[in-house]
Amino acid sequence: MDKYQLPFLKQVDDHIDRWKQANGVSREEWRLFLHSVNGTGASIGLVSLTNWAKETMSEEQSFPDWLDMNRLNTYLSKMPKTMKRGISPVSQEEADRNPSLLLIVDHDPIFMTEVKEWLESKGYMVLVALTVQKALQLTQLQNPSCLLINHFFIRDSLLGIKLLKRSIREFIPVMIVGDSDVEEQRITAFNYGVTDYLAKPLVSNRLVAQLANRVQHAKRIQDRILTDPLTGAFNRRFLEVEGNRYLELFQRGQGFFSLAMVDLDHFKRINDQHGHLVGDEVLKTFSKFVQDHVREGDVFIRFGGEEFVLLLPHTTATQAEVLVQRLRTTFDDHLFESETGTFKATFSAGICEVAKEWKTLAQMLEKVDQALYKAKELGRNRTLLYGDHMEKGLASFELIIVEDDMVLREALVEQAKTVQVEDVEITVTSYESGTRFMETDWFKPDGKYLISLDRMMPGLDGIDVLARLRRDFPESQVMVLMLTSSGEPSDIADALTYGTDDYITKPFNQVELIARMRRLIERSISKNIGR
C-alpha cells in the first residue's frame, strides 16, 4: 500500500500548501477535499486520516462560504501526523467465493440500505431495486437465489404480480416483507405462493437463518426437480427454464448462445450386448465426463434416453464445435468393461447458434436435431454444424473507472486490469472527472460496459453522470457500480432512484471491490447460471 499512501499524502500536502498561499479555501472545495480523504484514506490503509476527515465532516453545516487560515488551522491541527495501517485483510479465497445472490425490492431506501449492509456482512451478495421494473430486469440478468419483496408491490402492481409468479415458476424462493403484521396481507401473500411473510421491523439473526434455510431448501428442490436422477445432468424442465431465459436475453440484445445436441452411437447395441445395467453405467460415465470437461456456466442436460443437450452461453457455433470435438476425441479413448469384454462408446453431435429468425426454443431444438440427424446419417462419431456461421471471437467488455482522486484512480485501474472472466476480453479505461468522461465518445452500439462511478466529484458529480447514462444509453449494455464516501440513506436512495446496478460505500477493501466487479461482469454475460 505504500506505493499509494505516499503519493496520496503528498497530494494532501499540496492542497494545504496551495490554501496557505491563497490564505484560505472555499467551502465547496474544502467539503470535496474531506469527502475525498474520507473515501480514499481507509481504502489505501490510512484509517486514522479517514477518521479525522469523517469527524471534521460532522461539522459541515457550520462551514462558512470561505474558510480563512485561522479557521482552517483549527481543523488541520487535529489531522493525524502518523498514519496507521488498518486494512482488514481479505484472502483471495474469500474474494473468489460465489455467495448466494439476494434481491431486495422495497420503496424504503433506509430499510434497503440497512438490510443490504447486514446481509453482506453475513456473506451474501445483495442487489436492491426501488421499482418493480428494475427488479424484473435484475431478475432476468442476474438470476438471484432469493427475493425479498415489499408487500406494496404485489398489492398495487401488475408488474409486481408478474415478478412474483415468474420467480415462483423458476423455483426462486420469495419472501414478502410487510410494513406491518396484517393478517389479511399475510393470507394474500401465501395465496400467491410465497415462501414467507415477514413484518417490519425484521429480526436480523432470524432473517439470516430463514434465508439460509430457504436458499438451501430451494436448491434441494431444484436438484430433485431439475436434475436427472440417473446421470446427475439437468433435465428437460431445466432446459425449458434456462433455454427460454437465454433466448429472451438474446432477443433483447443481451447476449448469444449455442446448443449442441449429443447422441451416444449404437446405444441399443450396447444394451443388447452388455445389458441394461452396463448401459446405465455408460450413461452415468458419459455424463460425468462431460460435466468434468466443460466450462463453468455451460449447462449439460439429459434430453431423453441416450440423447443430451449442451447449452453454451456466449459461445458461437464455431467455438462450440471446437469444444464438442475436443470432448468427442477424448471420450473416444475411454474403455468400458463388462462380463462380455471391453468396449468403447462414441457419440455424434449437431450444433447450432441462436439466430434472430428463431422465435422459440422449440425451433432452435428442431434445427440442432436436424444437424445431429445428418451427422449420424454421414456415419456417426462426428460433429456437424447447422448452417453457416461467422466467428465472433471473444466477447468484449469495457470496465471504466471514473474517479477524481488520482491516487485511488490509479490503484483501481491497476487492480481492475487483473480481472479475468473466461471467454471475455476486458479492457480498462479511466477518467479523472464525470465531465471529462461524458465529453468523450466512449459508447459503441455493440459494446458492453461496467462503469465504476465516484459519487462525489467536482463539476458533474456521480448522480449527474448516472442520470445522463440512464437517459441517453441503453441500460442493458451499461452497468453502473456507484462508489460513495457517504453512508447517508439519501445519497444511496438517489443512486438507486437514478438506476445504479449496485453501490459500495467507501472505505472499501480493493480486493473485495474488484471481486464484486468480476461477479457483475460474469452475471451480465450470463456466465453464472447455477443457483
Side-chain angles (χ1 to χ4, degrees):
M1 274 303 164
D2 285 343
K3 67 179 290 187
Y4 301 124
Q5 290 176 352
L6 295 177
F8 182 72
L9 293 174
K10 183 180 184 306
Q11 186 175 291
V12 170
D13 289 338
D14 290 343
H15 277 293
I16 295 173
D17 289 342
R18 183 161 49 81
W19 296 336
K20 287 179 179 178
Q21 293 176 8
N23 197 32
V25 62
S26 69
R27 181 183 190 276
E28 182 62 17
E29 184 178 347
W30 175 240
R31 190 178 69 87
L32 287 173
F33 169 77
L34 291 174
H35 278 276
S36 176
V37 171
N38 178 54
T40 302
S43 298
I44 60 174
L46 302 175
V47 174
S48 57
L49 189 60
T50 286
N51 292 337
W52 166 81
K54 188 176 299 183
E55 181 179 345
T56 307
M57 286 164 55
S58 67
E59 302 180 31
E60 186 173 336
Q61 297 301 321
S62 65
F63 294 161
D65 291 339
W66 178 263
L67 288 81
D68 60 26
M69 284 311 300
N70 288 332
R71 180 66 177 269
L72 203 55
N73 282 329
T74 61
Y75 300 119
L76 295 177
S77 62
K78 300 176 184 177
M79 181 184 289
K81 300 297 187 294
T82 307
M83 307 306 171
K84 299 178 181 179
R85 298 177 184 268
I87 292 184
S88 300
V90 175
S91 67
Q92 193 61 46
E93 180 181 355
E94 290 175 316
D96 289 338
R97 63 187 169 82
N98 190 25
S100 297
L101 177 69
L102 310 178
L103 174 60
I104 303 174
V105 191
D106 203 290
H107 50 68
D108 183 349
I110 297 177
F111 168 78
M112 284 198 304
T113 301
E114 291 176 350
V115 177
K116 174 182 168 73
E117 290 177 355
W118 170 258
L119 292 175
E120 287 181 338
S121 74
K122 297 301 179 182
Y124 290 99
M125 185 176 179
V126 184
L127 297 175
V128 293
L130 286 169
T131 66
V132 176
Q133 290 89 340
K134 184 67 176 179
L136 280 166
Q137 180 192 40
L138 290 173
T139 301
Q140 178 73 3
L141 290 172
Q142 306 290 350
N143 207 13
S145 302
C146 183
L147 273 68
L148 282 79
I149 307 175
N150 190 286
H151 184 268
F152 169 82
F153 293 115
I154 66 168
R155 183 187 64 199
D156 297 327
S157 169
L158 292 176
L159 281 178
I161 300 298
K162 179 181 177 181
L163 172 64
L164 179 65
K165 290 184 175 180
R166 180 176 191 165
S167 301
I168 293 172
R169 185 173 67 248
E170 297 186 4
F171 308 102
I172 301 173
V174 177
M175 295 182 173
I176 296 297
V177 179
D179 293 322
S180 59
D181 193 1
V182 178
E183 186 66 15
E184 182 181 351
Q185 292 182 4
R186 185 184 295 274
I187 293 172
T188 301
F190 283 121
N191 284 338
Y192 277 122
V194 305
T195 309
D196 290 284
Y197 180 93
L198 310 173
K200 297 180 182 179
L202 302 182
V203 180
S204 300
N205 290 328
R206 184 188 304 166
L207 173 61
V208 171
Q210 285 177 293
L211 281 169
N213 176 278
R214 300 306 184 254
V215 170
Q216 291 168 10
H217 183 65
K219 187 178 185 306
R220 287 194 293 269
I221 292 176
Q222 290 162 9
D223 288 344
R224 181 176 292 270
I225 294 177
L226 302 177
T227 304
D228 175 59
L230 176 65
T231 63
F234 288 113
N235 60 20
R236 290 183 69 161
R237 169 60 180 150
F238 189 82
L239 175 61
E240 291 176 17
V241 172
E242 288 302 300
N244 283 307
R245 186 168 75 87
Y246 279 110
L247 185 60
E248 185 176 339
L249 288 171
F250 170 76
Q251 291 167 346
R252 292 163 59 182
Q254 297 172 356
F256 60 96
F257 65 99
S258 291
L259 290 182
M261 186 170 283
V262 175
D263 187 270
L264 287 166
D265 296 325
H266 300 297
F267 187 71
K268 183 179 183 300
R269 185 185 304 172
I270 293 174
N271 276 334
D272 291 343
Q273 292 181 357
H274 304 281
H276 288 275
L277 291 179
V278 174
D280 286 350
E281 285 302 314
V282 172
L283 291 173
K284 289 190 285 187
T285 300
F286 175 65
S287 178
K288 184 177 187 306
F289 165 80
V290 174
Q291 293 181 75
D292 287 345
H293 286 80
V294 295
R295 306 160 302 181
E296 181 182 358
D298 294 339
V299 190
F300 187 57
I301 298 128
R302 188 180 183 191
F303 196 66
E306 68 273 20
E307 205 166 53
F308 297 83
V309 170
L310 265 172
L311 191 160
L312 305 168
H314 221 75
T315 304
T316 65
T318 306
Q319 292 168 337
E321 182 183 26
V322 172
L323 185 150
V324 174
Q325 286 282 60
R326 185 172 66 247
L327 291 174
R328 192 176 57 78
T329 55
T330 305
F331 186 68
D332 193 41
D333 294 332
H334 187 85
L335 277 177
F336 292 92
E337 295 184 359
S338 74
E339 292 180 356
T340 59
T342 60
F343 65 95
K344 290 186 176 182
T346 62
F347 68 84
S348 303
I351 294 172
C352 76
E353 181 180 343
V354 66
K356 291 182 178 179
E357 61 265 28
W358 300 333
K359 304 302 181 184
T360 67
L361 183 63
Q363 288 178 301
M364 194 171 178
L365 287 169
E366 179 184 350
K367 305 305 180 187
V368 74
D369 186 56
Q370 291 176 18
L372 171 62
Y373 179 82
K374 190 66 176 177
K376 297 178 82 70
E377 189 180 64
L378 292 172
R380 294 182 169 85
N381 194 19
R382 66 186 64 222
T383 304
L384 193 68
L385 273 63
Y386 178 87
D388 298 321
H389 297 272
M390 295 182 63
E391 176 64 53
K392 295 182 182 177
L394 291 176
S396 60
F397 211 105
E398 188 165 357
L399 206 167
I400 299 174
I401 308 294
V402 185
E403 169 64 56
D404 65 307
D405 186 278
M406 180 186 67
V407 175
L408 185 57
R409 184 172 66 251
E410 290 179 356
L412 291 174
V413 169
E414 182 175 325
Q415 293 297 317
K417 288 180 178 178
T418 67
V419 176
Q420 294 182 347
V421 176
E422 187 176 8
D423 294 331
V424 181
E425 182 179 10
I426 300 174
T427 57
V428 182
T429 55
S430 66
Y431 298 89
E432 68 273 16
S433 70
T435 303
R436 174 61 181 155
F437 169 55
M438 296 306 293
E439 287 174 346
T440 60
D441 186 22
W442 61 274
F443 182 79
K444 302 295 185 293
D446 58 347
K448 295 276 283 184
Y449 304 89
L450 172 60
I451 300 172
S452 172
L453 188 59
D454 188 21
R455 168 67 177 87
M456 296 292 298
M457 293 184 290
L460 285 178
D461 69 10
I463 295 296
D464 295 329
V465 175
L466 177 59
R468 295 191 184 191
L469 289 174
R470 291 305 182 228
R471 183 192 67 193
D472 298 335
F473 301 98
E475 197 166 344
S476 62
Q477 292 175 248
V478 180
M479 299 178 66
V480 178
L481 175 63
M482 182 72 76
L483 275 58
T484 172
S485 59
S486 169
E488 286 296 321
S490 58
D491 282 353
I492 295 169
D494 286 343
L496 293 171
T497 299
Y498 282 99
T500 189
D501 292 280
D502 200 1
Y503 69 89
I504 190 168
T505 302
K506 300 178 184 178
F508 48 80
N509 182 285
Q510 290 183 40
V511 175
E512 181 181 357
L513 173 67
I514 298 308
R516 179 171 294 204
M517 289 178 173
R518 186 180 69 248
R519 293 185 194 113
L520 287 172
I521 293 174
E522 288 172 339
R523 291 182 183 276
S524 174
I525 62 170
S526 305
K527 292 293 291 180
N528 292 336
I529 64 162
R531 297 189 185 103

